[in-house]
Amino acid sequence: MAKFIHRDGDKRACGATTKATSTNVRVNGRFVGVNGDPNSHGGGALIANSTVGSVRANSKAVIVVDDNAKPDAKCPGPFHCNPKAIGHSGDVRAG
Protein backbone atom coordinates (compact mmCIF):
# COMPACT_ATOMS: atom_id res chain seq x y z
CA MET A 1 0.00 0.00 0.00
CA ALA A 2 1.39 3.39 -1.00
CA LYS A 3 2.11 5.88 1.78
CA PHE A 4 2.97 9.57 1.76
CA ILE A 5 6.66 10.53 1.38
CA HIS A 6 8.51 12.01 4.38
CA ARG A 7 10.85 14.94 3.62
CA ASP A 8 13.45 17.30 5.06
CA GLY A 9 11.88 19.46 7.76
CA ASP A 10 8.86 17.16 8.24
CA LYS A 11 7.88 16.41 11.84
CA ARG A 12 8.82 13.38 13.89
CA ALA A 13 6.68 11.85 16.66
CA CYS A 14 8.87 13.52 19.33
CA GLY A 15 8.50 17.03 17.88
CA ALA A 16 11.88 17.07 16.12
CA THR A 17 12.23 17.49 12.36
CA THR A 18 14.09 15.36 9.83
CA LYS A 19 17.47 16.51 8.53
CA ALA A 20 17.66 15.04 5.01
CA THR A 21 21.05 13.82 3.82
CA SER A 22 19.96 13.45 0.19
CA THR A 23 20.42 16.84 -1.44
CA ASN A 24 19.39 16.30 -5.03
CA VAL A 25 16.00 14.53 -4.97
CA ARG A 26 13.00 16.68 -4.04
CA VAL A 27 9.32 16.15 -3.31
CA ASN A 28 7.20 19.32 -3.30
CA GLY A 29 10.38 21.42 -3.19
CA ARG A 30 11.90 19.64 -0.16
CA PHE A 31 14.63 17.01 -0.14
CA VAL A 32 13.27 13.49 0.24
CA GLY A 33 13.90 11.60 3.48
CA VAL A 34 15.96 8.44 3.12
CA ASN A 35 17.04 5.52 5.28
CA GLY A 36 19.39 6.69 8.04
CA ASP A 37 18.43 10.39 8.08
CA PRO A 38 18.82 11.92 11.58
CA ASN A 39 16.53 14.38 13.34
CA SER A 40 17.02 17.83 14.83
CA HIS A 41 17.34 16.42 18.38
CA GLY A 42 20.45 14.44 17.42
CA GLY A 43 20.45 10.82 16.29
CA GLY A 44 17.09 9.23 15.54
CA ALA A 45 18.18 7.59 12.28
CA LEU A 46 15.12 6.72 10.20
CA ILE A 47 14.49 3.08 9.27
CA ALA A 48 12.93 2.57 5.84
CA ASN A 49 9.82 0.40 5.68
CA SER A 50 10.54 -2.84 3.85
CA THR A 51 7.32 -2.58 1.80
CA VAL A 52 8.58 0.49 -0.05
CA GLY A 53 12.25 -0.45 0.03
CA SER A 54 12.40 -0.66 -3.75
CA VAL A 55 11.71 3.10 -4.04
CA ARG A 56 15.11 4.76 -3.76
CA ALA A 57 16.86 8.11 -3.93
CA ASN A 58 20.64 7.99 -4.42
CA SER A 59 20.60 4.23 -3.75
CA LYS A 60 18.90 4.64 -0.35
CA ALA A 61 15.32 3.59 0.43
CA VAL A 62 12.93 6.53 0.79
CA ILE A 63 11.04 7.19 4.02
CA VAL A 64 7.26 7.25 4.23
CA VAL A 65 4.89 8.30 6.99
CA ASP A 66 4.98 5.98 10.05
CA ASP A 67 8.44 4.58 9.30
CA ASN A 68 10.24 3.94 12.58
CA ALA A 69 13.50 5.41 13.79
CA LYS A 70 16.34 4.59 16.15
CA PRO A 71 16.42 6.45 19.49
CA ASP A 72 17.51 10.08 19.43
CA ALA A 73 19.64 12.03 21.93
CA LYS A 74 16.64 12.76 24.18
CA CYS A 75 15.65 9.11 24.75
CA PRO A 76 14.08 7.99 27.16
CA GLY A 77 11.82 11.07 26.88
CA PRO A 78 8.34 10.71 25.39
CA PHE A 79 8.54 9.42 21.79
CA HIS A 80 12.34 9.92 21.68
CA CYS A 81 13.10 6.17 21.72
CA ASN A 82 11.23 5.81 18.40
CA PRO A 83 10.96 9.28 16.86
CA LYS A 84 9.14 7.89 13.82
CA ALA A 85 8.20 9.88 10.73
CA ILE A 86 4.80 11.56 11.03
CA GLY A 87 5.02 14.62 8.77
CA HIS A 88 4.72 14.13 5.03
CA SER A 89 3.94 15.42 1.58
CA GLY A 90 0.24 15.96 1.06
CA ASP A 91 0.17 14.51 -2.43
CA VAL A 92 3.21 12.32 -3.24
CA ARG A 93 3.24 8.64 -2.25
CA ALA A 94 5.60 5.68 -2.59
CA GLY A 95 5.00 1.98 -2.52
Side-chain angles (χ1 to χ4, degrees), residues 53-80:
S54 62
V55 179
R56 299 189 173 273
N58 298 313
S59 301
K60 292 186 176 181
V62 300
I63 299 298
V64 295
V65 69
D66 291 329
D67 275 355
N68 292 317
K70 294 180 179 179
D72 69 22
K74 294 188 176 186
C75 180
F79 302 104
H80 291 284

Side-chain angles (χ1 to χ4, degrees), residues 10-75:
D10 280 340
K11 292 285 184 189
R12 300 282 196 95
C14 65
T17 56
T18 291
K19 300 294 185 183
T21 57
S22 176
T23 58
N24 63 353
V25 179
R26 296 177 187 253
V27 169
N28 305 117
R30 292 190 196 176
F31 296 119
V32 66
V34 295
N35 191 61
D37 280 352
N39 72 26
S40 59
H41 290 161
L46 287 163
I47 303 166
N49 182 326
S50 62
T51 62
V52 296
S54 62
V55 179
R56 299 189 173 273
N58 298 313
S59 301
K60 292 186 176 181
V62 300
I63 299 298
V64 295
V65 69
D66 291 329
D67 275 355
N68 292 317
K70 294 180 179 179
D72 69 22
K74 294 188 176 186
C75 180

